[in-house]
Amino acid sequence: MIDYLKSEKQFLFTLLCWIAVGMFAPLLSWIVIPVTLMLFQRKKMYTEMLIGFFVILILSDSRQYSMHFAADIKDIYLLLLAFFFFVDRKTFAYGERLVYKFLPFIIMAVLCLAFSDIILKSAQKTLSYLLLLLVVPNYLSNTWRNEGTKGLRRIIWTGVFVLLVGLTFRVINPAFVTLAGRFSGMLGNPNGLGLFCIVFFIFVAVCNEVRTDVFSRKEIYLIYGVILLSTVLCGSRNAVFTIGIFIVFHYFYKISPFLGIFFFLVMVLVYQLILANLAGIIESLNLQEFFR
């Protein structure tokens, strides 16, 4: 983590400048952030642009009035990413085909626009998701081709840094990262933080499984520890269950794919039995307050 902060200090300072400008001069952020992105594009700093987009998306979910600039600028940010993608065909010559797998859903979404009462807003949302599916996988693939494991480390450490900032605020200013008595971190609500932790945990696990040289054992323990601590503190039952289920099935599948599939089928068969007795199990463990 210390190495990440040292190596990325200029980029992190840039992100802090974005946030400072957005908080104290929101209209000015409409100039500062796009100009910065243009400078990044000239230097082919597409990884920085992708990480910056993730940070803006996280801040756009915040309920703090000072972070409203992120919600306003995120659409412009996405359009600029898409523009750079279409213009710089040399860099993105090897297109990521993941978007093609979502074509049935995209077609269905477009057809459903005819039944919407707010067709303009629905069309904007549909276009946004289409651009997300087109842009993010291609930028991530570009990061992998050009930086390899270094690019993955930068993305993951940035996610950990965001979670650590939220945990720090819980100590120095709990009201800033709390909603209805529950920890929400830098996101807008506790369930949003829980969803972020689910996706982030699985992303880290997959990266560590595919490339065991991305992180050392101590680093991976630190990363998992920060994610799990944030998950528990936010009180999201879905996040706790989902990560728990992923860990269990991942463990059995590593031992044997057959054992993993067999255990999954057993869980499906006894699901109703577990559900019927779940209340009694929770009460016996004295976890009523957590599971509500």
Side-chain angles (χ1 to χ4, degrees), residues 215-228:
F215 297 103
S216 66
R217 186 179 294 271
K218 290 183 179 179
E219 289 176 329
I220 205 67
Y221 285 159
L222 172 63
I223 294 169
Y224 282 150
V226 171
I227 297 173
L228 293 176

Side-chain angles (χ1 to χ4, degrees), residues 259-272:
L259 185 60
I261 296 173
F262 174 77
F263 187 74
F264 171 75
L265 292 176
V266 171
M267 286 292 293
V268 171
L269 292 175
V270 301
Y271 172 76
Q272 290 298 331

Side-chain angles (χ1 to χ4, degrees), residues 86-285:
F86 287 115
V87 170
D88 193 354
R89 298 314 306 154
K90 183 177 181 180
T91 298
F92 296 101
Y94 302 96
E96 175 59 53
R97 298 182 178 275
L98 180 65
V99 66
Y100 297 134
K101 299 182 184 296
F102 288 90
L103 278 178
F105 303 97
I106 295 171
I107 293 172
M108 180 62 69
V110 172
L111 293 176
C112 287
L113 289 177
F115 304 98
S116 175
D117 295 329
I118 45 174
I119 188 168
L120 181 59
K121 188 172 183 178
S122 299
Q124 291 174 342
K125 292 290 185 181
T126 302
L127 178 61
S128 295
Y129 283 112
L130 175 59
L131 291 178
L132 275 173
L133 291 171
L134 178 66
V135 168
V136 173
N138 279 285
Y139 274 71
L140 186 59
S141 295
N142 178 71
T143 294
W144 175 251
R145 287 194 302 271
N146 293 325
E147 300 188 33
T149 56
K150 179 184 176 182
L152 292 180
R153 286 179 60 89
R154 297 176 69 189
I155 293 172
I156 291 172
W157 277 126
T158 302
V160 174
F161 181 71
V162 170
L163 292 178
L164 284 174
V165 170
L167 292 171
T168 302
F169 270 108
R170 189 175 186 272
V171 176
I172 63 176
N173 186 8
F176 189 77
V177 291
T178 303
L179 179 66
R182 294 172 59 193
F183 177 64
S184 60
M186 299 307 294
L187 286 94
N189 61 78
N191 291 330
L193 176 59
L195 183 59
F196 176 83
C197 289
I198 292 171
V199 176
F200 192 34
F201 185 93
I202 295 175
F203 178 69
V204 172
V206 171
C207 290
N208 190 55
E209 183 73 21
V210 175
R211 293 296 300 265
T212 57
D213 57 336
V214 179
F215 297 103
S216 66
R217 186 179 294 271
K218 290 183 179 179
E219 289 176 329
I220 205 67
Y221 285 159
L222 172 63
I223 294 169
Y224 282 150
V226 171
I227 297 173
L228 293 176
L229 178 60
S230 299
T231 304
V232 172
L233 290 177
C234 76
S236 172
R237 294 160 294 179
N238 289 335
V240 172
F241 272 120
T242 302
I243 292 177
I245 291 171
F246 175 80
I247 292 174
V248 170
F249 282 107
H250 183 64
Y251 173 77
F252 281 104
Y253 192 82
K254 284 185 68 175
I255 297 176
S256 167
F258 173 78
L259 185 60
I261 296 173
F262 174 77
F263 187 74
F264 171 75
L265 292 176
V266 171
M267 286 292 293
V268 171
L269 292 175
V270 301
Y271 172 76
Q272 290 298 331
L273 180 63
I274 295 174
L275 190 63
N277 296 279
L278 188 59
I281 295 173
I282 291 174
E283 289 178 1
S284 66
L285 297 174

Side-chain angles (χ1 to χ4, degrees), residues 11 14 18 31-46 48-50 52-53 56 73 76-81 84:
F11 176 59
T14 301
W18 286 3
I31 299 175
V32 173
I33 295 178
V35 169
T36 307
L37 292 180
M38 292 177 187
L39 294 176
F40 282 170
Q41 196 275 334
R42 290 187 61 183
K43 297 181 179 181
K44 307 297 181 182
M45 297 170 64
Y46 289 110
E48 285 80 358
M49 294 168 67
L50 179 62
F53 182 55
I56 290 295
I73 199 66
I76 302 298
Y77 201 125
L78 179 58
L79 288 174
L80 284 172
L81 290 182
F84 297 145

